[in-house]
Amino acid sequence: SQKIEQNSEALNIQEGKTATLTCNYTNYSPAYLQWYRQDPGRGPVFLLLIRENEKEKRKERLKVTFDTTLKQSLFHITASQPADSATYLCALVLYNQGGKLIFGQGTELSVKP
Amino acid sequence: DTEVTQTPKHLVMGMTNKKSLKCEQHMGHRAMYWYKQKAKKPPELMFVYSYEKLSINESVPSRFSPECPNSSLLNLHLHALQPEDSALYLCASSQENEVGHSYNEQFFGPGTRLTVL
C-alpha cells in the first residue's frame, strides 16, 4: 500500500541546535517533494521544494535532501529558534496528478529557549 | 500580492442550512484547490480546478459543491452537512507548469473553521 510517514509526531530540541525531520514514503514515485510549515489555526506556508533529480536544496537556515533510492527526504533547521516551533509537513507531488499534494501526518517541532 | 483570502473565518451551521465558503487570489494562478483538515491531521485534497474547470474530485460527497466563477475566485457550496464535516477548510492556488499540471508551491489561505451542529 502507499504510505508517507514523518519520523515522529513531536520533536523537542534546545535553541541553537539543529532540528532534523524525516519523511519516508512507500510505493510512490514523486516528481517533487515539498516542505510546508503550519502554525495552529492557520494555513500551511511553503518552505522548500526539491525535484526528483536533485539531492539537496538550501534556503537560509533550511536544508532539504531527497534520496529517491531510500525513498526519504530529510529536512534540517540549523541554529533553531523558539520562533521555529510549528508543525512541519512534507508533501509529495506526483506526475500527471494535477498538482495534488499528498501530505505526511506532520511533525510538531518545539524549540525550547 | 501573494495572498489567498478566505471568507468567512468561522462558520457555524445546522445540518439543514445552505452556506458557501469563498476564496480569492490575485496572483494569476490558474490552479486552485480545496482541502479539508481535521484536528491534528494533515490537509486532505477535495477538489482541483485548472483554468476554471474541475479537474480532480477526490470522491467528495455531493453535499459539497465547488464552483469557479472566474480565474480569481473559488467557492465551496455546502448543503445538508453532517457533524463529521466540521473541520478547517483550506483554499490554495498555484502556477501551472502546463495545463492541468502543477508541480509548484501552493499558496494557502488562512482557512474557514466550519462547525456543523
Side-chain angles (χ1 to χ4, degrees), chain B residues 28-101:
Chain B
H29 293 166
R30 304 310 293 269
M32 296 186 76
Y33 312 82
W34 280 115
Y35 289 85
K36 172 182 177 179
Q37 187 174 26
K38 301 282 268 185
K40 301 290 188 185
K41 297 289 187 185
E44 289 183 358
L45 183 69
M46 300 174 71
F47 303 104
V48 180
Y49 271 83
S50 172
Y51 286 80
E52 295 92 72
K53 287 187 169 38
L54 184 65
S55 60
I56 294 179
N57 175 342
E58 291 285 288
S59 303
V60 178
S62 60
R63 56 186 185 269
F64 295 91
S65 175
E67 179 198 18
C68 191
N70 62 53
S71 59
S72 300
L73 292 174
L74 189 65
N75 297 323
L76 186 62
H77 304 296
L78 314 172
H79 174 53
L81 295 193
Q82 304 295 311
E84 59 265 29
D85 296 321
S86 298
L88 181 68
Y89 288 84
L90 294 162
C91 172
S93 71
S94 69
Q95 269 189 333
E96 293 212 321
N97 301 88
E98 55 193 74
V99 176
H101 302 293

Side-chain angles (χ1 to χ4, degrees), chain A residues 20-32:
Chain A
T20 298
L21 286 65
T22 305
C23 177
N24 295 294
Y25 58 92
T26 309
N27 291 328
Y28 283 112
S29 295
Y32 294 75

